[in-house]
Amino acid sequence: MVLTTIDSAAYNAMQAPQGPVHINCAFREPLDHSNQNWSFDCLRGLDRWFRNDEPYTRYLEMKMVSAFCNYSCSVIEVQDIIKKAKQGLLLVGAIHKEDDMWAVALLARQLSWPVAADILSGLRMRKVLNSFPGFDKSILFIDQIDQILLSDSVKSWINPDVIVQIGSRITSKRMEMFLESCFPSSYILIDTHPCRHDPSHVVTHRIQTSVADFAASLCQCNLERKTSRWKDILMVLNSAVSQEIMFHVHAEFSLTEPYVAHVIGEALYGDAAMFVGNSMVIRDLNMFGKGWLDHTTNGDNMMMHNIPDFIGATVSGNRGASGIDGLLSTAIGFAVGSNKHVCCVVGDVSFLHDTNGLSLLNQRAQRKPMTVIVINNHGGAIFSLLPVAKTASPQILQKYFYTSHDISISKLCDAHRVKHFLVQTKAELHDTLVKTHAEHLDCVVEVENQIDENANFHRTISMFVDNTATHYLDYLLGDPYSSTTSDLDRMYKTKIHAIEYMLYRIQLSAPRTSGISDSSCFHEGFILKLRMDDNIVGFGCTNRNSPGGYNRC
């Protein structure tokens, strides 16, 4: 932290306009009262700095030294680092322009590295064009990187040697902690402004340029598209964890906050954009959000682009110490400035901090309709998932952390003459989103939930995702053909001690093309839960695919 701060201060002091800089001294994080002894672990990762005379973070500019697109020596050095990378990771933070999204996609294809895209990058909620299925074959998006890192085994295994980050700060605290511990040999951060976005203090090369110019510079390198078992394993882990999450959010009968985050992309019709609130909302979207098929985009029009597989969806939000203030008002300004239909997703506490924004919502000044989705769990749910929830009593949590309230969001909307919908089930959520789109309404959609149930469901998903990632990694790193006959015999002799079942029903986006093709468009069946020896629990399901018949899946 000291080294990166001094490097940043020295760089800013020598740039135009030159002048003095102010350095803040950071102390312990708020609310953390634990005593910690001095540890030499803080010196880990400084080997490279000790061995040379360069600053810890080098600040570089993309300078051409001739008319033939030849770059300066410092840029060539970065190119060489990228060419030699064996386990490279492309990390995409917050970016705000559609051109930058296309440039990132071009860069991803040039590097052929796994891509971890933050929710504010616009690439996490990407629209997959229906005319071009199979886009994942060209760019490997590791959408579930935050959840994969729940596994300690995966965290110790991933270990990228070079990380290239595009854009500003990332949302995932778990990802930040991982970056602090993995110490890649080179961490290259590219953004157009000179500000420091390095909370983990791991950046070794800071390049002030646009992602388009950086991608253009790599075109000169003739990067070799390498096959990598490391990359293949990441792809399998991402797919397995994605399926695990999908199973749980759809299998749970009640309307949960992870479910809302998982399906909210369906509300982004056509050229819509999203504005995301703080606290749990942005974290849930970063953990559970996904892209979706776009049935409306004309594939012929997309051929003008070099990447016809998908398009990004503009996502914005207020981040920082005062990010909760004026969220609704900012979202309305975002809708005016972007000239898009905006889906604003906020928590109840954030919404109540800016109820005056409802008066702006009612004015409808030169903008398209807005849908404001309020996740109302009657308090600050994020604290139920932080370490303080494990040490503080329920009474302390309720009094000082949860900011419980009984304010009627419906009556607030009535007072400002804004249309209000209360949804309490999955079907109601889907029906309401379709209705608001069809009627072009400014409206507030209130999704009611409870803090305790939400916290328990998050913990359940985390537990299963951790187990899934760990078991898949163990299998992939081991020899799948090494099982002996005795191992197989023991497997078959395992006893089933209990079995449970539950009916599930999932709304489909289109009628079936085979089997039952009724107008209800539902996929239904039974979820089976088996409890084996040693408390091992397994899941499976049967689905209905013909009148009166069920198949295993």
Side-chain angles (χ1 to χ4, degrees):
M1 183 273 291
V2 174
L3 294 179
T4 58
T5 302
I6 296 299
D7 293 341
S8 175
Y11 174 74
N12 283 289
M14 293 184 291
Q15 297 301 302
Q18 295 182 356
V21 294
H22 178 88
I23 298 177
N24 289 325
C25 297
F27 295 94
R28 65 178 178 85
E29 291 189 0
L31 307 180
D32 184 4
H33 62 276
S34 59
N35 295 320
Q36 294 184 354
N37 296 324
W38 168 263
S39 173
F40 284 96
D41 286 345
C42 67
L43 300 180
R44 290 174 59 216
L46 295 181
D47 297 347
R48 179 186 59 84
W49 178 75
F50 279 122
R51 289 195 302 265
N52 61 48
D53 297 329
E54 298 289 342
Y56 182 81
T57 302
R58 297 179 58 193
Y59 285 77
L60 310 175
E61 295 182 7
M62 298 289 294
K63 291 182 179 179
M64 292 187 185
V65 295
S66 73
F68 299 99
C69 297
N70 295 322
Y71 290 90
S72 62
C73 294
S74 59
V75 176
I76 294 175
E77 175 193 340
V78 171
Q79 293 174 345
D80 289 339
I81 290 173
I82 292 174
K83 288 173 68 174
K84 295 175 182 177
K86 296 180 179 178
Q87 296 181 173
L89 177 67
L90 179 59
L91 180 60
V92 190
I95 54 178
H96 310 291
K97 299 178 181 178
E98 293 181 2
D99 288 345
D100 287 345
M101 296 181 200
W102 288 107
V104 167
L106 283 169
L107 179 60
R109 282 193 167 176
Q110 284 179 293
L111 293 175
S112 189
W113 291 359
V115 181
D118 188 86
I119 185 63
L120 293 178
S121 70
L123 296 175
R124 181 66 188 272
M125 305 294 286
R126 59 193 176 274
K127 287 187 286 189
V128 185
L129 304 186
N130 198 32
S131 307
F132 301 95
F135 72 100
D136 279 332
K137 295 179 181 178
S138 58
I139 299 178
L140 175 57
F141 285 101
I142 309 297
D143 287 335
Q144 308 302 336
I145 186 70
D146 181 277
Q147 297 288 74
I148 290 173
L149 290 173
L150 283 166
S151 166
D152 290 335
S153 299
V154 173
K155 277 191 293 188
S156 61
W157 168 81
I158 288 185
N159 198 27
D161 57 352
V162 178
I163 296 177
V164 172
Q165 179 180 339
I166 305 295
S168 57
R169 63 177 294 182
I170 57 177
T171 300
S172 171
K173 184 76 170 180
R174 192 177 294 120
M175 187 68 180
E176 285 185 0
M177 295 173 66
F178 166 71
L179 295 175
E180 290 177 10
S181 61
C182 73
F183 296 116
S185 58
S186 296
Y187 193 116
I188 305 163
L189 175 60
I190 295 95
D191 213 339
T192 53
H193 56 74
C195 299
R196 183 173 58 140
H197 283 291
D198 185 18
S200 301
H201 308 290
V202 291
V203 172
T204 59
H205 299 78
R206 176 65 168 90
I207 303 177
Q208 184 180 347
T209 189
S210 68
V211 59
D213 287 344
F214 183 73
S217 73
L218 291 184
C219 288
Q220 312 294 322
C221 298
N222 297 320
L223 295 176
E224 180 184 355
R225 297 180 68 88
K226 304 174 183 177
T227 58
S228 166
R229 186 166 184 259
W230 181 78
K231 178 180 173 181
D232 292 340
I233 291 176
L234 271 180
M235 178 178 65
V236 174
L237 290 176
N238 182 72
S239 178
V241 168
S242 179
Q243 291 294 324
E244 188 74 30
I245 291 172
M246 187 180 300
F247 172 83
H248 286 283
V249 297
H250 286 290
E252 174 62 34
F253 178 77
S254 61
L255 177 59
T256 63
E257 294 180 29
Y259 178 85
V260 175
H262 193 67
V263 304
I264 201 63
E266 298 173 8
L268 301 183
Y269 299 93
D271 193 30
M274 178 175 286
F275 188 91
V276 186
N278 281 353
S279 195
M280 276 308 300
V281 168
I282 192 169
R283 288 167 174 82
D284 275 343
L285 281 165
N286 198 59
M287 289 188 290
F288 306 114
K290 66 181 182 69
W292 70 102
L293 283 177
D294 181 28
H295 299 273
T296 61
T297 305
N298 185 348
D300 295 336
N301 294 336
M302 297 305 299
M303 291 304 293
M304 69 183 69
H305 297 286
N306 293 324
I307 305 178
D309 301 335
F310 68 93
I311 54 178
T314 305
V315 181
S316 189
N318 284 353
R319 302 292 288 147
S322 300
I324 194 174
D325 295 332
L327 276 172
L328 184 54
S329 300
T330 307
I332 295 168
F334 174 65
V336 174
S338 63
N339 193 32
K340 295 181 178 182
H341 177 100
V342 170
C343 177
C344 173
V345 189
V346 296
D348 52 335
V349 177
S350 298
F351 180 82
L352 295 176
H353 263 260
D354 191 23
T355 52
N356 287 338
L358 288 170
S359 62
L360 294 176
L361 188 66
N362 191 34
Q363 291 174 12
R364 188 70 177 275
Q366 299 179 344
R367 61 169 175 80
K368 295 180 180 179
M370 278 187 62
T371 301
V372 180
I373 300 177
V374 182
I375 310 297
N376 185 9
N377 47 40
H378 307 281
I382 189 171
F383 292 103
S384 64
L385 298 175
L386 295 180
V388 67
K390 299 178 181 178
T391 57
S393 66
Q395 294 78 12
I396 294 296
L397 291 172
Q398 189 69 32
K399 186 174 182 178
Y400 295 107
F401 289 90
Y402 286 171
T403 59
S404 301
H405 67 86
D406 57 358
I407 299 173
S408 171
I409 292 178
S410 173
K411 291 180 180 178
L412 281 173
C413 292
D414 289 342
H416 290 274
R417 300 187 302 279
V418 174
K419 187 72 174 177
H420 171 271
F421 297 94
L422 175 65
V423 298
Q424 296 174 307
T425 66
K426 294 179 178 179
E428 288 177 352
L429 175 64
H430 285 277
D431 292 344
T432 302
L433 293 179
V434 170
K435 183 177 181 180
T436 56
H437 172 70
E439 298 181 5
H440 299 281
L441 292 173
D442 277 324
C443 65
V444 173
V445 178
E446 179 184 355
V447 179
E448 197 167 43
N449 212 294
Q450 298 296 326
I451 290 179
D452 292 339
E453 285 83 350
N454 175 62
N456 290 334
F457 189 56
H458 273 83
R459 293 188 186 101
T460 298
I461 294 179
S462 296
M463 178 185 68
F464 280 100
V465 164
D466 184 353
N467 289 336
T468 296
T470 300
H471 291 159
Y472 266 78
L473 181 64
D474 289 345
Y475 176 81
L476 293 169
L477 294 181
D479 183 0
Y481 303 103
S482 64
S483 296
T484 63
T485 303
S486 59
D487 292 330
L488 295 174
D489 289 341
R490 284 195 296 270
M491 186 183 300
Y492 288 125
K493 291 178 181 178
T494 301
K495 293 182 179 179
I496 298 175
H497 290 282
I499 181 170
E500 301 174 27
Y501 70 90
M502 179 179 68
L503 178 67
Y504 73 87
R505 199 179 195 202
I506 301 173
Q507 178 82 47
L508 302 177
S509 58
R512 293 177 180 274
T513 58
S514 61
I516 300 175
S517 55
D518 56 10
S519 58
S520 60
C521 296
F522 284 108
H523 180 82
E524 60 183 12
F526 289 99
I527 296 170
L528 307 177
K529 178 180 179 181
L530 303 179
R531 186 173 298 279
M532 319 291 283
D533 287 335
D534 299 324
N535 258 346
I536 298 174
V537 177
F539 286 91
C541 67
T542 62
N543 66 283
R544 183 182 179 188
N545 64 349
S546 60
Y550 287 85
N551 277 354
R552 292 182 303 171
C553 64

